[in-house]
Structures are given as C-alpha cells and as structure tokens.
Amino acid sequence: MSSVRSHYASLLAAPALLVPFVAAQAEPTGLLTVTVEASRTSQLGLADSANQGSITGRELELRTVYRPAEILEATPGLIVGQHSGEGKASQYYLRGFNLDHGTDLATYVDDMPVNQRSHAHGQGWTDLNFLIPEVVGRMDYSKGPYSARLGDFASAGSVSVNYANRLSDNVFTISGGQNAYGRAALAASSEVGGGSLLYALERVHNNGPYTRGDNYRKANGVLRYSVGPASNGWSVTAMAYRGQWNSTDQIPLRAVQDGSIGRFDAIDNTDGGRSARSSLSATWRSTTAEAAAKLNAYVIRNRLDLFSDFTYYMDDPVNGDQFGQPDRRVTSGFGASHTWRDVPLLGLAGDWTLGLMGQNDNVFNGLNHTRAQQVLSTIRQDHIVESSAALYLENATRWSDKLRSVAGVRTDHYRFDVKSNLADNSGTASAQLVSPSLSLILSPFAQTELYLNLGKGFHSNDGRGTVAKVDAKTGEAVTPVPGLVQSRGQEAGLRTELIPRMQTSLSLYRLDFDSELTYIGDSGTTEAGRPSRRYGVEISNYYKVLPWLSFDVDAAYAHARSRDHDALAGDYIEDAVEGVGQLALTVDKYGPWSGALRLRYFGPRPLTADNRVRSRSSFTLNGHVAYQLTPKLRLSLEAFNIANRKVSAIDYFYSSQLRGEAAPVDDVHFHPSESRSLRATLIANW
C-alpha cells in the first residue's frame, strides 16, 4: 500500500501553498475581464481533523483588520479583541475559552514561539504587533490536542504564520484615516548572490477614538536571506519591532451611566506601555522521495514596560492603584525533525517522524506599585530561568484507499528556577508529562472525509507559582501550583466538497482540563483553578459562488463548566464565550474592483461563576472596497464598525473604588469597541 507521503510533502512544499493562484477568464459583459485568484486551499487528504486549515496570503489580504492580531480571526471560531492600548497584546477567545492574552492558543511566526512563558502580565502573553501583513505568505491553524508536534498552550488551538521567502511583486503602501491613523510600509525582494533577499519596513501611528488618544507609535522591520525553495533550502531572518502607547483601560459601567465619564474616557490617564522585540532565526529543510528533514533555531529578545490601573482607589486611596509590570527576556530554542517515508510496518508502508524541541527563557520581571508610571514601591522582583525539552514520535499510515491514521506520542520535561526578592518565593521545580494522540481518517466516498481524534495536551503554569510559598502582596501563605496541567480532548468531524466549489467542515468536540490556568498578574500570584469541561460544535462553510465572488460563514457554540460541582459558588467559567460567528462576502478581481463585507458575532459570556451577571452579545460589520487604478496602482477604502454600534470589546465583573466612593463596588467593567472609522490606502506594486 502507498504511504501518506502526500500528506507531509504538501506541508513541506511551501511554495505550492504560498501562491495557489488559479487564473481564469470570463466576460459577463463586453467590457469586463474577470481574473480569479486565491480560492481556498482544499484540505482533503492533507488534514488530520475537521478543524485544520490553511489560509493563503491573498485570502488574508482581502480581510479587513483593525490591528495585526486580527488576521488570526481567519481561524473559524476565533475572536480577537483588545481591552487596553493598541501596543498591548490582544485578547483571544476560542472554544469556550477566554484565552486572555494568549493562554492555550499556541502561536508561531516562522517557527518561532510567540507565547511568552512566566510573563509579568499573564502566562502565554502573545503580542503580534510585530506582524507585517505584506510579507505573510500563509497561515495554518488547528484546534485541540491531537498532534504530537504541538505542545505547550496548544490545547484550545494553534496558529502558525509563515513569511514568504520572495514576493511576486514589490509593494509600497501608504494609509491615512480618522483618529490620526497613518501607516507606511515597504516590502520587496530581489535576487542576490544566488539567493533571495527580502526586506520590509513599517511605521504606524494611531490614536483610536479615545478622549486621551492612544498615540500608538510603531516601527517595524524584517530582513530575510534565503537560498533554494522552501522545501529544499535554507533561510536566515532578522526582525525588529518597537512600540509605545497610552492606554484607555476598561472602565466601570456605573461611571458611564451616571455621566461621570464618557464611553471613551479613562479613569487613570497615565496608563500606557512600551515594548520592543528583536529576533534572529534560521531554518533549513531537505526533501526527497525517501525522507524529509527540517532544522530551525532562534533567539528572541523581548522587553515590556506596562502600566495599568483596574481598581483605581481601592487599595491606595491617596496614590491610586496603578501598577507597573516590567518584563525583560531572552528566549532561545530549536526544533529538529526527520521523516522516513514508506517504512514497512505490518505489511503496510507508513511515514515515521521523529522530532526534538528545546526552549530556554531567561526572564527578569517584576510588579511595582506606581503613580503616573513612577515607582512608589516594589511588590516583587524575580529572575526566572525556564527550560524545556520535548521528544515526539509520529506515524502516518494509509491502511486502505479509504482509511488512514496518524498516531503519535510526545514527552515534555520542564524545569523552573526562580530567584525572588522574597526568599520564600525562591526555589526550583520540575515537571514532566507524556501526551499520546490518535487520529483516524475515513474516506467513505469521493470528496468527503470523516475524522475521529483523541489526544492529551497541556499548558504550563507561570514558573513563579511552582515554587511560591507566600503571596507577594499580602504576605499570606499560598500553595505551589503544578508546573504542567494536562488536558484531554475528543473530537469527531466531517469535511466535504461534494457540492462543486463548496467546502464544508463540521466538528463536535470535548476538552477537559485538570485545572484552569489562573495567573493573577495584577497581584503577582498564581492560583490553582478548578477542573473544567468544554464541549461544543463548530461549522465552517466556504462557497465560491462565481469566479469573482465567494461566500463564507463560520459558527461555533461552546458549553463550559467547572467539573467539581459547587452549588454555592456556581459552576460557570467566568468570561467563557458561548457562541461566535462570522458571515462574509468577498469580491476578488471583478474587473478593477475587489472588496469584502464581514459581519462578526461575539456571543454573551457569564461574568460570574453563578451566571448572575452576564455580558451582552454584539454584532459588528467591517468592510473594504478597492479599485485598480492602473495595473500597478490600487486604491482601497476600509470601514470599521460601519453601523457604529456601541458595543463592548470586553466585559469583566469585579470590585473597584472610584475617588469619593466610601467602599469598593462590584460592577461590570468594559472596554468599548472602536467607533466607526474610515481609512484610505494607496498600494503601489512594481
């Protein structure tokens, strides 16, 4: 029997996925020529589950995004928001999770992990502001702990963004819009010394609709040299990013309702932040008929100074409750894998993949009580060295023309070494887990696949919590948390293309966690959460109605509860999103015209464990239209929140105290979605 060679060859042969253009000509009228580009890549025969997918750079280009991280919303069922200034890591929601700033959503850019472990503000911090969309070639996504190749943070989902090695056209983009928005970007590639040199530069400014503007200033750059095709060559890449911003954090609903402040006002006008990221990475690949090998290595330097105030005058009625969270880190790591193809086993030929990964984070971070970004006192300072190693083995076998399988096992080992300014919170700890996975793929008839997926995964906890003995803020005794927390997932799914030009996928899943990940960055403590269970259904449908017109709709529902029943506290999981959806119409190359309209639904969430307080659902409509002025010059107009809906990007329920209040008040705190705004962009190619 033949192996599932095509399954791995397609993943390694990046050029075939980077530009899957399909050219066609049609003339609905005597004057109109239609060019078809970037139909969605079929996943039949490639994916191991119904929730895997690959989005081309062209498809991403046709989306309307307010901030870079929103390209992740091309993943069906994923919602991206913001509850602070533009330079801060975004907020993510998926499969009944409030993923905070990235927890349980493993994110990679060019094989480098974006999630930052043991971070000052929150475990798994995922800041994607360094993305430059002009050089994105492809985005791959999956959900659930069903692959031995994925480890920490991947239980809810995983997204991998890949930059191109070379561009078909160089591009210069200049944009301007309301709220002092401005952007200029240049991306180009050329042949140098037998290889390709790609470079990109970006500058951005944005105030947003806030009374005190964000004054977000971003400078960004990428430089890459590559030799050979992506499947049989190597590349070296350098990146650098710097951002600075003011923050209008979430505000108490009571203050808006009584007229004390407006929707776009702040309580503390000195909140804000500064961040910087630089990296150097290298990748080498070799692909033959008998084997495929890959090796990558990286060094990443991240710096963050974040100042926030969520409780105002509850802890300090004189100076206020602003806190600063500095984080300095160097992350280094590598990945190596080798696939042997057509290896005989039980009379069948299968592909075997052996992989090894390593990562080390050298982190200096802290928590300070501040006023107007000036340090009043230090609550804690820590030096964390977090090291991990993983080994995995995966087998892919085609048992017949209608049945194939992918089975794997992964083992992870973590070591945490913490040196704290509080002696009781210093120490070392270690943790290890074994995570098996199995996927069965049945093809009962043409253009259709059925999937059954089983697997275990995990997320790591903040290293400080694994050795902590006292609360750094109150001095009370605390219990250390486990370094690794296991998840268990089961899923059944379907993918079909029986209807011409239509791709449909459906999945039913359940995901259990031994405990919810709870790092309280605002007080510098880690708490062991309750065990949880989520189950739900997701459907994704893409239809190429006409050569120039496509329609897609995604919908997801999740039921999330704590497994240890507590009638008094309640079993709801706070901020767990219940339903999300997107509906979009996209026009691509209808003569000189292109554009899209996208309606996004963000469902209600329980804000308290007893479901006594809930957030409202919201609909927002974004879109853009572009006109090809000349073969190399295009004008685009983007519109955000077209209906100007007064809805929330995020809602929380907790206690805070405003100046003049006698005692803390339990209240909803929200961050408003941006008001309607327009941006015009001129794109020049050569």
Side-chain angles (χ1 to χ4, degrees), residues 598-636:
R598 185 170 297 273
L599 180 67
R600 188 183 78 160
Y601 170 71
F602 185 23
R605 287 87 63 202
L607 301 183
T608 58
D610 59 7
N611 201 33
R612 177 174 54 89
V613 183
R614 293 177 60 83
S615 73
R616 294 181 178 180
S617 60
S618 66
F619 286 93
T620 52
L621 180 66
N622 298 332
H624 79 272
V625 60
Y627 185 80
Q628 197 76 36
L629 300 171
T630 73
K632 295 293 185 179
L633 190 64
R634 185 167 79 255
L635 179 64
S636 173

Side-chain angles (χ1 to χ4, degrees), residues 52 201 225 235 394 641:
Q52 285 180 267
L201 298 170
Y225 185 74
S235 65
E394 189 174 76
N641 192 7

Side-chain angles (χ1 to χ4, degrees), residues 422-476:
L422 301 174
D424 287 342
N425 286 342
S426 297
T428 60
S430 61
Q432 47 278 323
L433 276 178
V434 176
S435 306
S437 58
L438 173 65
S439 297
L440 299 176
I441 302 96
L442 178 66
S443 304
F445 39 80
Q447 303 301 307
T448 299
E449 289 185 337
L450 304 177
Y451 307 91
L452 177 63
N453 308 104
L454 306 169
K456 291 185 177 181
F458 70 95
H459 61 226
S460 62
N461 275 323
D462 187 285
R464 290 166 291 183
T466 66
V467 300
K469 298 180 180 62
V470 298
D471 186 305
K473 196 169 186 179
T474 66
E476 298 176 356

Side-chain angles (χ1 to χ4, degrees), residues 415-534:
R415 185 179 187 274
F416 309 92
D417 186 352
V418 180
K419 293 180 174 61
S420 177
N421 63 330
L422 301 174
D424 287 342
N425 286 342
S426 297
T428 60
S430 61
Q432 47 278 323
L433 276 178
V434 176
S435 306
S437 58
L438 173 65
S439 297
L440 299 176
I441 302 96
L442 178 66
S443 304
F445 39 80
Q447 303 301 307
T448 299
E449 289 185 337
L450 304 177
Y451 307 91
L452 177 63
N453 308 104
L454 306 169
K456 291 185 177 181
F458 70 95
H459 61 226
S460 62
N461 275 323
D462 187 285
R464 290 166 291 183
T466 66
V467 300
K469 298 180 180 62
V470 298
D471 186 305
K473 196 169 186 179
T474 66
E476 298 176 356
V478 298
T479 301
V481 300
L484 304 179
V485 178
Q486 193 161 72
S487 65
R488 291 170 294 278
Q490 303 93 42
E491 187 161 338
L494 172 147
R495 187 190 308 271
T496 183
E497 297 178 15
L498 274 175
I499 300 175
R501 302 187 304 278
M502 179 179 289
Q503 300 176 16
T504 301
S505 63
L506 172 70
S507 58
L508 305 172
Y509 68 89
R510 190 179 85 174
L511 182 64
D512 293 352
F513 259 111
D514 288 344
S515 76
E516 291 287 301
L517 178 61
T518 310
Y519 172 67
I520 313 300
D522 307 346
S523 61
T525 60
T526 304
E527 297 177 358
R530 299 165 63 185
S532 63
R533 170 167 294 166
R534 290 169 172 83

Side-chain angles (χ1 to χ4, degrees), residues 31-313:
L31 299 177
L32 182 64
T33 298
V34 178
T35 302
V36 182
E37 288 186 332
S39 295
R40 182 164 296 181
T41 305
S42 172
Q43 296 298 303
L44 289 173
L46 304 178
D48 301 332
S49 69
N51 60 63
Q52 285 180 267
S54 183
I55 309 296
T56 66
R58 175 60 179 168
E59 287 182 274
L60 296 173
E61 182 185 348
L62 292 170
R63 301 182 66 88
T64 306
V65 297
Y66 189 88
R67 53 185 62 90
E70 288 183 4
I71 72 165
L72 270 60
E73 288 193 351
T75 301
L78 177 61
I79 293 291
V80 179
Q82 180 58 273
H83 74 103
S84 191
E86 281 306 308
K88 190 176 180 179
S90 293
Q91 196 92 2
Y92 305 91
Y93 295 86
L94 179 69
R95 287 200 160 186
F97 285 88
N98 171 7
L99 297 165
D100 196 41
H101 297 291
T103 301
D104 291 311
L105 177 65
T107 308
Y108 302 87
V109 172
D110 273 348
D111 296 317
M112 292 183 289
V114 182
N115 304 78
Q116 297 179 37
R117 310 188 296 198
S118 300
H119 191 268
H121 188 73
Q123 177 73 339
W125 176 269
T126 302
D127 181 358
L128 284 166
N129 285 296
F130 67 92
L131 276 181
I132 300 179
E134 282 81 0
V135 294
V136 173
R138 189 180 84 253
M139 189 184 86
D140 303 318
Y141 65 84
S142 66
K143 303 170 201 170
Y146 310 126
S147 173
R149 303 179 184 222
L150 298 172
D152 201 0
F153 304 121
S155 291
S158 174
V159 179
S160 179
V161 178
N162 301 282
Y163 280 174
N165 283 348
R166 51 185 57 83
L167 304 177
S168 57
D169 283 310
N170 301 329
V171 58
F172 174 73
T173 301
I174 187 165
S175 303
Q178 293 174 278
N179 304 319
Y181 176 81
R183 178 179 185 266
L186 169 68
S189 62
S190 58
E191 299 303 310
V192 176
S196 176
L197 181 67
L198 179 142
Y199 56 92
L201 298 170
E202 178 189 42
R203 290 298 302 267
V204 174
H205 181 273
N206 190 18
N207 273 345
Y210 309 103
T211 304
R212 176 190 182 234
D214 275 347
N215 194 23
Y216 178 45
R217 290 150 284 166
K218 173 168 74 171
N220 204 5
V222 173
L223 181 65
R224 163 175 286 178
Y225 185 74
S226 61
V227 174
S231 58
N232 261 304
W234 57 270
S235 65
V236 177
T237 306
M239 303 182 191
Y241 157 81
R242 183 178 296 274
Q244 186 172 348
W245 65 94
N246 303 324
S247 290
T248 298
D249 290 327
Q250 65 257 25
I251 53 178
L253 181 61
R254 64 187 185 277
V256 177
Q257 290 177 334
D258 67 18
S260 300
I261 61 173
R263 281 177 53 83
F264 297 108
D265 287 337
I267 301 297
D268 189 335
N269 279 317
T270 67
D271 292 348
R274 299 175 294 274
S275 66
R277 179 191 184 276
S278 56
S279 66
L280 181 66
S281 62
T283 300
W284 170 85
R285 287 185 177 93
S286 174
T287 305
T288 67
E290 293 77 27
K294 178 181 175 181
L295 178 65
N296 71 286
Y298 55 85
V299 177
I300 311 167
R301 182 176 182 264
N302 279 289
R303 297 172 62 88
L304 175 72
D305 289 291
L306 184 65
F307 299 91
S308 310
D309 187 350
F310 303 138
T311 55
Y312 319 123
Y313 294 94

Side-chain angles (χ1 to χ4, degrees), residues 565-570 610:
H565 175 64
D566 188 328
L568 183 62
D610 59 7

